[in-house]
Amino acid sequence: MGMRFRFLVAAGTASLCASVVMIAEVQAGAFGLREQSTQAQGLAFAGAASGSGGVSSMFWNPATITMNPGFVAEQNFTYIRLSSEIRPAPGTNPGFARLGGSGELGQGALVPAGATSYQLNDRLWLGLSTGAPFGLVTKPNQVWAGEVYGRSSRIFSLAINPVIGVKVNEWLSIAAGPNIEYFRLTLRQALPVPGLLPTAYPSSFLKGESWGVGFTAGATLTPRDGTVLGIGYRSSVHHDIDGSIGVPLLALAPLAGQVRARLNTPDKLSVGLTQAVSPVARVNLGFEWDNWSRLGTIGIVSKTLGLAVNTLPLNYKDGFTYAIGAEYDASPNLTLRTGFAYETSPIDFRNRSVRLPDGDRYIASVGASYRWSRQLTLNLAYSHFFLDRSRILAGLGRDYNVGNIAFAGVVDSSADIVSVGFRYVFGAPPAPTPAPLVRKW
């Protein structure tokens, strides 16, 4: 037992190390990241909360851990290529409009995520998942028409989530565990200086980091063979961010220095349904609710002055995702899958910024799994994100306002995502716990 538990910790540590070394950040549904499972991505994440994502479904619903007998580890590597460009539109201050558009905002990123589960007996499982629930990188041209609202934005996160799963009976499983989360952000923008041309504006910055703790919990119901309903919850994580503001002018020095901010990440509710329609085919449905509206406006407070020196007026709406997918066992070793999802973004014209020019999206996915051996399964998935053309307006009394410098823009975006992963089963599942001996006296 001790040796097996050390194996579980070692497998989880390997996954964590991969995340720390390789993780990069991208935009996905505000600054949330859903790319935690290659299998689930092939289904456009339909049924992720009911186990369609394998062991990595723990991200959406930790109770799916009881669907994996024995000692199992998964690792997923997802490359996301975001393409996004903002072009100035009529309404932008003429002195800035001639600076041109953003150029390519998007940055390619490799996002690893892993999950490991170990079955102690026929009722009890231990698990560990690691990954990035949030991330963002946008980097326009250094000099461009919207530079006073954003020159670069970067958000990095890392979550470590150990869980305990219990198979209560043949139709009900439950699980829960703490979610330990690291969060870091760095934001830069041009600082308007009287007497200088916009092409010579220096950059100011805001950066900070924090550790916080939340939890995950969930349940799976199997009312009959071939039907699985899963419900999972990831709580909000409160972050007391410690950081600093930097400004390049001596006259503004009192506004610089150490700052603090309070950020509550959105909680997430996931529902999934997996239904077998034949011995070799399954249909999956998925629904996700992300409580982005809890972010509101974030105040940036100087530790020295005790006063608010800046704000981040996010003011997001809640986000909703609806997905449908199907998978087919073409042979005992090959499974094919496809899916489609529609996501209503928490960002629209009222709160869209040059840092995060997000919008509603349509997601089309295909994927496959190949069982290389009894122990090793290889996974592959591809998705394309179609985003509606959207508009941005900053300044003129709106929330994002720098010296009444008006900026109006048109955004064109899309994304291509490729994910590869593997699943490895260590040894055979443990033998069921024998029934207690009943003696008659």
Side-chain angles (χ1 to χ4, degrees):
M1 169 62 186
M3 181 64 70
R4 289 173 179 171
F5 182 73
R6 287 195 291 273
F7 278 147
L8 172 63
V9 173
T13 302
S15 172
L16 173 61
C17 290
S19 297
V20 170
V21 172
M22 301 176 63
I23 198 163
E25 312 91 354
V26 293
Q27 171 196 342
F31 53 86
L33 289 177
R34 190 179 287 112
E35 288 71 27
Q36 311 292 330
S37 167
T38 303
Q39 280 184 233
Q41 186 191 319
L43 292 161
F45 304 100
S50 53
S52 70
V55 183
S56 299
S57 278
M58 289 166 57
F59 175 82
W60 293 270
N61 178 6
T64 58
I65 190 176
T66 66
M67 300 171 67
N68 300 277
F71 184 12
V72 187
E74 286 183 1
Q75 188 66 53
N76 310 283
F77 301 91
T78 303
Y79 179 76
I80 305 179
R81 178 56 186 172
L82 171 67
S83 178
S84 185
E85 183 178 0
I86 305 174
R87 300 187 306 277
T92 301
N93 278 25
F96 289 86
R98 64 170 178 263
L99 300 181
S102 67
E104 179 56 75
L105 275 172
Q107 305 288 308
L110 181 64
V111 181
T116 304
S117 69
Y118 179 70
Q119 182 181 2
L120 292 173
N121 53 48
D122 62 339
R123 296 294 183 190
L124 189 62
W125 276 254
L126 298 178
L128 179 68
S129 69
T130 59
F134 307 102
L136 167 69
V137 167
T138 53
K139 190 175 182 180
N141 297 330
Q142 177 74 4
V143 176
W144 74 291
E147 64 183 9
V148 298
Y149 294 101
R151 274 183 169 164
S152 68
S153 306
R154 182 178 295 267
I155 292 174
F156 172 92
S157 72
L158 175 66
I160 306 167
N161 182 204
V163 303
I164 298 177
V166 178
K167 190 172 184 179
V168 179
N169 52 41
E170 293 306 312
W171 59 271
L172 174 64
S173 292
I174 57 174
N179 181 36
I180 305 163
E181 187 175 279
Y182 174 73
F183 189 92
R184 185 179 73 222
L185 82 163
T186 303
L187 308 177
R188 299 181 186 275
Q189 65 192 69
L191 182 66
V193 177
L196 290 182
L197 294 174
T199 53
Y201 283 173
S203 291
S204 62
F205 70 82
L206 167 66
K207 60 183 179 181
E209 62 182 353
S210 168
W211 284 91
V213 179
F215 69 92
T216 65
T220 58
L221 304 172
T222 309
R224 60 182 183 181
D225 289 343
T227 302
V228 180
L229 174 65
I231 302 174
Y233 177 73
R234 293 180 70 88
S235 78
S236 172
V237 176
H238 175 74
H239 287 281
D240 287 313
I241 298 176
D242 286 321
S244 60
I245 283 183
V247 294
L249 295 177
L250 183 62
L252 296 177
L255 300 180
Q258 298 301 304
V259 295
R260 65 177 184 270
R262 294 181 177 179
L263 169 69
N264 295 309
T265 62
D267 39 345
K268 182 183 190 74
L269 177 68
S270 303
V271 180
L273 174 65
T274 299
Q275 176 63 58
V277 295
S278 80
V280 295
R282 294 161 296 281
V283 173
N284 294 273
L285 300 175
F287 168 78
E288 297 178 32
W289 167 69
D290 293 278
N291 188 15
W292 286 102
S293 60
R294 74 180 306 136
L295 271 67
T297 294
I298 300 171
I300 311 300
V301 179
S302 168
K303 290 185 177 180
T304 303
L305 303 176
L307 302 173
V309 295
N310 206 341
T311 61
L312 293 177
L314 301 180
N315 299 323
Y316 293 160
K317 306 179 301 180
D318 289 350
F320 299 90
T321 303
Y322 312 87
I324 183 170
E327 52 188 352
Y328 171 68
D329 300 327
S331 74
N333 293 333
L334 178 64
T335 297
L336 305 176
R337 52 182 65 94
T338 188
F340 179 81
Y342 172 65
E343 180 176 1
T344 62
S345 173
I347 295 174
D348 59 17
F349 180 65
R350 292 171 296 177
N351 55 26
R352 186 173 293 116
S353 76
V354 302
R355 296 192 183 279
L356 189 47
D358 196 16
D360 293 352
R361 63 192 63 194
Y362 305 86
I363 306 169
S365 299
V366 294
S369 294
Y370 180 73
R371 188 177 182 184
W372 183 271
S373 66
R374 184 179 67 86
Q375 293 179 303
L376 177 63
T377 300
L378 305 177
N379 300 311
L380 176 67
Y382 167 77
S383 299
H384 182 78
F385 284 33
F386 302 88
L387 280 82
D388 295 333
R389 174 173 289 186
S390 54
R391 296 180 299 132
I392 292 175
L393 180 61
L396 300 177
R398 293 175 66 89
D399 285 341
Y400 292 90
N401 184 18
V402 178
N404 286 321
I405 297 174
F407 174 78
V410 177
V411 185
D412 286 301
S413 300
S414 65
D416 291 288
I417 302 176
V418 177
S419 183
V420 296
F422 67 85
R423 170 190 175 100
Y424 194 83
V425 179
F426 298 86
T433 303
L437 181 64
V438 179
R439 298 180 184 274
K440 293 183 179 181
W441 300 99

